[in-house]
Amino acid sequence: MGELVPGGNAALPSGVVRLRVAGAFDVSALVTGADGRVAGDADFVFYNQPDAPGVRLRGDTLAVDPARLRGGACRVTVVVSAAEPGTPLGRLPAPRLDVTDGAGRTVARFAPPRPGPETVLLLAELYLRPGVGWKLRAVGQGYADGLAGLARDFGVDISDDGGRTAAAAAPRTAVPCASDDFARLVNAARARAGSPPVVPDPRLAAAARAHARAMADAGRLGGEGPDGVSVHQRISAAGYAYLTVGEHLVSGPRTPAGFVDHCLGAERARRTLLDPAFRHAALAHADAGDRYWTALWAAPLTPDGLTRTAAEVLALTNAERGRAGLPALATDPLLTAAAQAHCADMVARDFYAHTSPDGGEPWDRAAAAGARRRTIGENIACGQRSPAEVVEGWMNSPGHRANILGREFTHLGVGFAGGGRAGTYWTQLFGG
């Protein structure tokens, strides 16, 4: 048995060898000739095309029989990517390759250095050395262009027109390829607009896949699937807490490029795609006659971000009071705690009301937080995507406007929570 280092070699026994990579990885293989390129799409072995002459993929294990490879083949490259599409391999434990012979005896092991931001790793290669026989070489090289770029460099035909080639046909493999293309196309457009790049996020990817499947099952676009779960609830369920969120729900385009062109051609969708506030994104599709796409955009929730959002709501509120000749409201941390708790409660218990399911009223929440203001008022809102949008909405509603311009109020607490059926929930809790 040999414990290999990058660049190290081991002779392979005759017959079948098995190469196993356990953990949260997808394993694939490329069969190539002396020119380093595949002879056709059949030389790309992956989850939805698990068999080629001399190569079989079952779960996390490749079985390779060099004697049965197609004519002219002299190399098999073993590739790993994260099972959760778009995840940088540096976020996962380093993959470990275990190689055994037909009797289950260990031939070699290889644990490469921990990868960085790459999403694909060339782990090892089996190659024919003339006059010597088949050998295994440890590689451990990260590949920056993702699985789609890797496949193209090896000569696999990646369809751009929706055709079902080996690389484009399989949902599980096509998703990371789509994510790579999506990020490249989107970030090029964002760079032209002066917006920072977005990074694929596996939690958003999981939510996008689930919602695309739900829309395909229903045969229609919608923010809520036939299971009664909204796209924003899927994001929360995937473990992504956001401060800002956006989504594109589209049917029709056949490729990521077509999807991006569609979004750039519509003013509202274009604003979302180019919004400089977003830091993460994901794209997924599901087919059911038509192709249903879900793109998600978000900025993660952070304590500083929440504080800035509340401060912006307060500043905009005080600007409205200033225009009306009224004194500014001061921040009250106890009212803030009560307002924040009410937003979180509306998300968690899936309701939208001043009265909570257990009968609690705004003044009850203020008192429970320790506030001792004599007069209490409350504004709530849901669905708005920014402080400016929510304050504008309140000012356009007579009852909410009356609270913002109430002379009896001297202090304010602001709450915000992302998630739930509406996507965003806002609370202003006034005290005087």
Side-chain angles (χ1 to χ4, degrees):
M1 181 194 77
E3 191 80 30
L4 300 179
V5 297
N9 294 273
L12 292 176
S14 60
V16 175
V17 292
R18 290 180 171 80
L19 303 98
R20 180 173 184 259
V21 183
F25 302 101
D26 282 346
V27 184
S28 52
L30 293 137
V31 180
T32 55
D35 61 357
R37 295 176 69 80
V38 299
D41 293 343
D43 282 348
F44 187 19
V45 177
F46 56 99
Y47 265 93
N48 281 68
Q49 186 169 275
D51 294 286
V55 183
R56 185 177 70 235
L57 175 64
R58 296 295 184 269
D60 59 7
T61 301
L62 278 166
V64 180
D65 186 350
R68 296 181 177 275
L69 294 174
R70 53 93 174 162
C74 59
R75 191 180 305 268
V76 178
T77 302
V78 180
V79 179
V80 296
S81 55
E84 191 65 50
T87 302
L89 291 171
R91 296 185 186 176
L92 303 174
R96 182 178 183 85
L97 174 66
D98 289 287
V99 185
T100 57
D101 64 13
R105 293 183 293 261
T106 298
V107 174
R109 289 174 176 164
F110 175 49
R114 189 184 187 91
E118 299 90 354
T119 57
V120 171
L121 184 72
L122 305 184
L123 186 58
E125 58 185 14
L126 290 71
Y127 66 99
L128 177 62
R129 185 172 179 182
V132 176
W134 283 86
K135 302 190 73 173
L136 172 76
R137 178 185 292 120
V139 181
Q141 175 189 341
Y143 201 88
D145 290 340
L147 196 58
L150 172 73
R152 289 191 185 97
D153 286 355
F154 275 76
V156 178
D157 179 20
I158 303 294
S159 173
D160 289 328
D161 60 2
R164 294 182 63 79
T165 65
R172 187 165 187 180
T173 299
V175 169
C177 293
S179 297
D180 291 339
D181 289 346
F182 178 60
R184 175 177 55 81
L185 294 165
V186 162
N187 285 333
R190 288 173 68 87
R192 291 191 295 269
S195 298
V198 290
V199 176
D201 184 274
R203 297 161 297 180
L204 293 181
R209 287 197 306 274
H211 199 71
R213 285 196 299 268
M215 291 193 298
D217 289 344
R220 58 176 174 81
L221 298 175
E224 187 174 295
D227 54 3
V229 180
S230 76
V231 64
H232 305 106
Q233 289 170 315
R234 298 188 205 281
I235 297 173
S236 297
Y240 190 104
Y242 57 80
L243 185 65
T244 309
V245 70
E247 67 281 337
H248 288 133
L249 309 176
V250 175
S251 64
R254 303 303 300 176
T255 64
F259 177 88
V260 172
D261 286 344
H262 173 88
C263 293
L264 290 174
E267 181 57 32
R268 183 173 179 180
R270 178 184 175 87
R271 285 200 306 270
T272 298
L273 189 149
L274 302 179
D275 192 328
F278 296 129
R279 294 293 179 267
H280 296 125
L283 176 70
H285 72 262
D287 293 334
D290 205 348
R291 177 161 289 183
Y292 293 85
W293 297 85
T294 298
L296 300 177
W297 314 81
L301 179 68
T302 64
D304 287 347
L306 184 60
T307 299
R308 287 194 302 272
T309 296
E312 189 172 348
V313 171
L314 176 64
L316 291 167
T317 298
N318 281 334
E320 296 293 348
R321 288 176 66 88
R323 280 189 279 274
L326 298 169
L329 302 175
T331 299
D332 184 315
L334 300 177
L335 294 177
T336 297
Q340 185 62 37
H342 189 53
C343 288
D345 191 32
M346 287 190 287
V347 170
R349 294 201 276 179
D350 192 21
F351 75 98
Y352 175 65
H354 292 287
T355 304
S356 63
D358 54 12
E361 300 288 356
W363 42 88
D364 299 320
R365 293 188 286 272
R372 294 295 180 262
R373 303 289 169 185
R374 291 182 299 174
T375 305
I376 296 293
E378 185 180 77
N379 285 346
I380 60 174
C382 65
Q384 293 81 2
R385 303 303 172 90
S386 69
E389 186 179 345
V390 73
V391 173
E392 180 182 10
W394 281 328
M395 287 299 293
N396 289 331
S397 166
H400 298 98
R401 178 186 176 93
N403 276 339
I404 287 175
L405 301 183
R407 295 181 178 274
E408 68 275 26
F409 296 131
T410 58
H411 290 77
L412 179 67
V414 177
F416 167 85
R421 203 168 298 276
T424 59
Y425 292 79
W426 307 78
T427 298
Q428 285 183 314
L429 196 56
F430 300 85

